[in-house]
């Protein structure tokens, strides 16, 4: 391997090391409550209290379709609501027909286990279990950070793959919803970790897959000054630029 290629690999490893430091700093400095923004889902156990009418108090488990059943109100769809949003919905429904200025609290007594897969160029790829709300940075920290060995460096992009949901399939007459098709979010790691763009630190849901491909190499041969393999290190490059390497 030429000295130039070794230098490029060293620079790439240094960049990955800096990104891993940012991952660690973000997890240590985060003041975010991992449960505050949690979206209710199937199998969660909810404790609902209406302070004005004790008979309306109930502990219910969310069905596989994302619904619960409450006295007076009947069946409510609660999937993808936060506890605060559900409190407001129940309060508004009771105030509309039954009570004046009701006070409602929703407490998530049991969280369902969630699983997210992390694959590709990380130190500890695998399947991770967690409860509450986690983000991309949380899972990167759990996976030990980005790979930065001489044999494998993390590439510039992270792919968050969200599989289609297996519940609430539409009927033949209904148009297929967004939940029925897989989605892929492409995240620029330098923009997230070096520039600190936290809008890219997406919240995760059960079944997500995080994939970080390795940084590739370009091989240059023939009548050039320095034939050999050169790490791309995430850069976009045209043929003319590659030849000058």
């Amino acid at each position: 391997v030429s000295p130039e290629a070794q230098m490029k690999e060293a620079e790439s490893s240094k960049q990955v090391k800096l990104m891993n430091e940012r991952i660690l700093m973000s997890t240590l400095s985060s003041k975010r409550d991992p449960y505050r923004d949690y979206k209710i889902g199937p199998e969660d156990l909810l404790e609902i209290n209406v302070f004005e009418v004790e008979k309306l108090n109930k502990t219910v488990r969310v069905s596989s379709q994302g619904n619960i059943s409450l006295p007076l109100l009947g069946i409510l769809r609660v999937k993808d609501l936060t506890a605060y949003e559900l409190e407001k919905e129940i309060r508004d429904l009771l105030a509309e027909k039954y009570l004046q200025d009701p006070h409602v609290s929703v407490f998530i007594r049991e969280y369902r286990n969630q699983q997210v897969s992390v694959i590709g160029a990380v130190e500890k790829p695998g399947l991770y279990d967690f409860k509450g709300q986690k983000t991309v940075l949380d899972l990167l920290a759990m996976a030990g950070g980005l790979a930065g060995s001489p044999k494998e460096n993390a590439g510039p992009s992270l792919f968050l793959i969200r599989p289609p949901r297996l519940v609430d399939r539409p009927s033949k007459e209904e148009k297929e919803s967004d939940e029925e098709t897989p989605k892929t979010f492409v995240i620029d790691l330098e923009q997230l970790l070096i520039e600190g763009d936290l809008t890219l630190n997406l919240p995760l849901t059960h079944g997500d897959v995080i994939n970080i491909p390795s940084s590739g190499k370009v091989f240059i041969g023939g009548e050039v000054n320095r034939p050999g393999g050169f790490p791309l290190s995430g850069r976009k490059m045209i043929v003319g630029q590659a030849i000058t390497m």
Side-chain angles (χ1 to χ4, degrees):
V1 180
S2 66
E4 289 81 3
Q6 290 178 336
M7 183 176 298
K8 296 293 183 183
E9 288 185 355
E11 290 176 359
S12 180
S13 295
K14 183 178 179 181
Q15 179 83 339
V16 170
K17 183 179 179 181
L18 178 59
M19 288 183 176
N20 282 333
E21 289 175 354
R22 295 296 175 87
I23 292 171
L24 179 61
M25 288 172 59
S26 71
T27 57
L28 292 176
S29 61
S30 176
K31 303 295 185 183
R32 177 177 51 85
D33 181 351
Y35 299 103
R36 184 190 64 185
D37 300 323
Y38 176 79
K39 294 186 182 296
I40 296 167
E43 307 306 321
D44 286 339
L45 186 65
L46 309 180
E47 184 179 292
I48 299 171
N49 291 296
V50 180
F51 299 111
E52 286 77 10
V53 183
E54 187 176 346
K55 290 182 179 180
L56 296 180
N57 297 344
K58 194 171 183 182
T59 299
V60 292
R61 192 172 295 278
V62 182
S63 72
S64 60
Q65 287 75 38
N67 302 324
I68 61 172
S69 178
L70 294 179
L72 297 181
L73 302 180
I75 295 176
L76 297 180
R77 181 169 177 81
V78 299
K79 182 175 178 287
D80 290 333
L81 295 179
T82 65
Y84 174 78
E85 290 169 339
L86 181 54
E87 284 178 2
K88 184 178 184 304
E89 181 168 336
I90 295 173
R91 184 169 62 247
D92 290 346
L93 289 171
L94 289 174
E96 185 179 338
K97 292 183 178 180
Y98 303 105
L99 298 173
Q100 183 176 0
D101 191 25
H103 294 79
V104 179
S105 71
V106 174
F107 175 69
I108 304 175
R109 182 166 291 280
E110 291 181 8
Y111 293 85
R112 72 192 185 281
N113 282 330
Q114 301 194 79
Q115 290 186 329
V116 169
S117 297
V118 184
I119 60 176
V122 293
E123 291 296 335
K124 296 182 290 184
L127 185 64
Y128 289 86
D129 292 273
F130 60 88
K131 293 183 178 181
Q133 184 68 68
K134 298 290 185 184
T135 66
V136 167
L137 284 178
D138 292 329
L139 264 292
L140 288 181
M142 292 171 68
L146 305 174
S149 67
K151 292 183 179 180
E152 182 181 44
N153 272 326
S157 300
L158 178 151
F159 296 87
L160 173 58
I161 304 163
R162 183 153 294 164
R165 298 298 170 232
L166 301 179
V167 297
D168 301 336
R169 293 193 177 278
S171 64
K172 293 180 180 179
E173 293 79 15
E174 292 177 317
K175 187 177 179 181
E176 186 177 14
S177 70
D178 289 341
E179 287 192 347
E180 301 305 316
T181 56
K183 298 179 181 179
T184 300
F185 305 91
V186 182
I187 297 174
D188 185 314
L189 287 172
E190 183 172 340
Q191 192 174 344
L192 170 62
L193 297 171
I194 305 301
E195 299 177 17
D197 184 358
L198 294 181
T199 62
L200 299 176
N201 188 25
L202 300 179
L204 301 172
T205 63
H206 178 70
D208 282 352
V209 177
I210 293 174
N211 181 20
I212 304 176
S214 300
S215 178
K217 285 188 177 182
V218 58
F219 291 89
I220 306 169
E223 295 188 19
V224 293
N225 289 332
R226 297 185 295 272
F230 297 86
L232 289 172
S233 303
R235 292 173 293 167
K236 294 181 179 179
M237 187 179 300
I238 62 175
V239 174
Q241 292 172 319
I243 292 174
T244 61
M245 296 176 67

